[in-house]
Amino acid sequence: MTQHDVFEKDQNIYSIILCGGSGTRLWPLSRKSFPKQFLTLGGAKKSLLELSIERIKNISPISRRWLVTAKGQENLCTNQVSNQIAKMIIEPEARNTAPAIALSAWRLMQEDPEAIMVILSSDHAIQNIRSFEQTISDAIQLAKNNFFVTVGIQPTYPATGFGYIEQGLPLDKDGNILSPQKLTEVTATGYSVRSFREKPNQAAAEQFLRTKKYLWNAGIFVWKTKTFWNAFSHIQPETAALIESINNDNLNEIYGKIENSPIDIAFIEQTSHVACIPANFDWNDVGSWSAVRECFEQDSQGNTLSGEIFTHETKNSVIHTTGPFVSVVGMENVAVIATNDAVLVMPLARSQDVKKVVQHLEQKNTKLL
């Protein structure tokens, strides 16, 4: 049985793509008016959002693909993927992931309460699509047994920018705990979750990496809609009641009253019956210019290039221009990013310091954000 057949058999798997972010970590290319998920990076021909939709083509047909975005971004979504999705939910204002997911779940409860939700981000890079499909298939199997499933990524370095999931006991595909003896016969499909850890400091991140018991939280979730709504209503009764009271006339007013909170804190960390599945695919949240180099095609010198560029004796760099011709000579491990109105030059190792530029512009020149 092919992976495609596995998904075909289930007629109620809905992919919910969260597309409301307004990140500026890839400034000057990403702007508040044109966030990261709409960017075409490296030598790619499609944006991160378009690649996200393409990735789910075997998981959910067009009729079961929903997009959640924030007001002001709906035209960007329409221009890029309108013929690839069935429904667009527009948040009056971005309120983090818990309200976005809860609103989607409530809408789905009205249409298909038996549906399984596969919740994905629109701005991550994922390689090995077949492995991604297998991971989602395993997650769906656990979700059918009423687990709330989160996908974890094997850490490759002691990252302080991600939350972590501490793996507990090994589970088979039906959610039964596997004994040590059974583990010699079958491979664990997933694990119970012992704890969730917020973004750690450097020392804690190094310890998490050493123990091999912790995974990065990738923000990928799979569960039954009805099971989720019952649990969410119990844990967050005020938010659930507000969402249930929303209609076409009062959406703006009600949504503004909902607490701004990530789904991890509002729900996942407070509920039981959570399982995690270690990802079998390469994942990157494309959260910096150094990450762009890691997850997009490189030339023979290790450079990731896009736009009208000339390089000479330049290695392991990211050079991207949407405006002027850019030439880079005799440099290594740098980012050179040019647009029509701004230029960024920095060592790739200082990629996180883009936020310093953003902080400066927030005070001095907001039109460049």
Side-chain angles (χ1 to χ4, degrees), residues 96 159-166 195-202 204-205 208 214-217 261-270:
N96 218 312
T160 56
F162 303 132
Y164 284 73
I165 305 163
E166 185 184 7
S195 69
F196 288 93
R197 303 296 178 92
E198 293 304 307
K199 296 174 183 177
N201 60 29
Q202 190 66 33
F208 291 171
Y214 291 84
L215 303 169
W216 289 335
N217 187 347
S261 180
I263 195 69
D264 315 66
I265 291 168
F267 177 69
I268 301 279
E269 294 176 13
Q270 299 191 53

Side-chain angles (χ1 to χ4, degrees), residues 55-72:
R55 199 177 295 134
I56 59 170
K57 65 175 188 274
N58 291 337
I59 297 170
S60 301
I62 291 173
S63 60
R64 294 196 293 276
R65 298 176 196 163
W66 291 13
L67 199 63
V68 186
T69 193
K71 189 173 183 180

Side-chain angles (χ1 to χ4, degrees), residues 146-285:
N146 296 315
F147 279 88
F148 302 108
V149 187
T150 178
V151 174
I153 309 296
Q154 297 286 359
T156 51
Y157 67 98
T160 56
F162 303 132
Y164 284 73
I165 305 163
E166 185 184 7
Q167 292 178 194
L169 298 167
L171 306 173
D172 69 11
K173 63 183 176 57
D174 297 317
N176 301 309
I177 294 169
L178 290 167
S179 65
Q181 183 186 348
K182 198 77 175 161
L183 268 175
T184 62
E185 302 163 26
V186 296
T187 308
T189 297
Y191 294 84
S192 63
V193 172
R194 184 162 284 148
S195 69
F196 288 93
R197 303 296 178 92
E198 293 304 307
K199 296 174 183 177
N201 60 29
Q202 190 66 33
E206 286 169 8
Q207 185 199 348
F208 291 171
L209 191 63
R210 274 196 304 274
T211 64
K212 295 186 164 58
K213 293 275 189 195
Y214 291 84
L215 303 169
W216 289 335
N217 187 347
I220 298 172
F221 306 105
V222 182
W223 46 58
K224 278 185 187 171
T225 308
K226 189 192 289 182
T227 309
F228 167 77
W229 192 255
N230 290 342
F232 184 81
S233 303
H234 180 70
I235 292 167
Q236 297 290 352
E238 288 178 23
T239 299
L242 284 168
I243 286 173
E244 288 182 7
S245 73
I246 286 173
N247 57 44
N248 291 335
D249 299 322
N250 66 9
L251 175 60
N252 290 10
E253 178 198 346
I254 299 290
Y255 212 72
K257 296 177 180 175
I258 295 172
E259 189 180 352
N260 185 330
S261 180
I263 195 69
D264 315 66
I265 291 168
F267 177 69
I268 301 279
E269 294 176 13
Q270 299 191 53
T271 192
S272 57
H273 227 55
V274 181
C276 71
I277 293 188
N280 289 318
F281 51 83
D282 294 331
W283 172 89
N284 196 307
D285 80 331

Side-chain angles (χ1 to χ4, degrees), residues 28-162:
L29 203 56
S30 67
R31 307 285 177 104
K32 287 180 178 173
S33 61
F34 202 83
K36 180 177 76 168
Q37 60 268 29
F38 302 107
L39 299 178
T40 301
L41 297 166
K45 300 286 187 283
K46 295 181 176 178
S47 70
L48 291 173
L49 171 60
E50 289 171 305
L51 293 170
S52 298
I53 300 284
E54 190 175 84
R55 199 177 295 134
I56 59 170
K57 65 175 188 274
N58 291 337
I59 297 170
S60 301
I62 291 173
S63 60
R64 294 196 293 276
R65 298 176 196 163
W66 291 13
L67 199 63
V68 186
T69 193
K71 189 173 183 180
Q73 294 182 13
E74 59 267 44
N75 289 341
L76 292 170
C77 293
T78 299
N79 292 342
Q80 291 198 357
V81 298
S82 62
N83 61 343
Q84 295 296 311
I85 58 169
K87 179 178 291 219
M88 192 189 307
I89 296 174
I90 301 167
E91 299 178 276
E93 56 184 291
R95 306 291 291 165
N96 218 312
T97 52
I101 290 169
L103 179 61
S104 308
W106 178 244
R107 295 265 173 96
L108 195 46
M109 282 285 286
Q110 317 312 304
E111 290 197 19
D112 187 352
E114 300 306 317
I116 289 173
M117 302 173 72
V118 177
I119 298 156
L120 302 157
S121 293
S122 60
D123 60 354
H124 294 170
I126 289 173
Q127 315 299 332
N128 331 101
I129 301 307
R130 294 294 294 276
S131 300
F132 168 74
E133 290 176 350
Q134 181 61 57
T135 300
I136 297 299
S137 176
D138 290 343
I140 288 167
Q141 188 61 42
L142 282 172
K144 285 179 177 175
N145 287 288
N146 296 315
F147 279 88
F148 302 108
V149 187
T150 178
V151 174
I153 309 296
Q154 297 286 359
T156 51
Y157 67 98
T160 56
F162 303 132

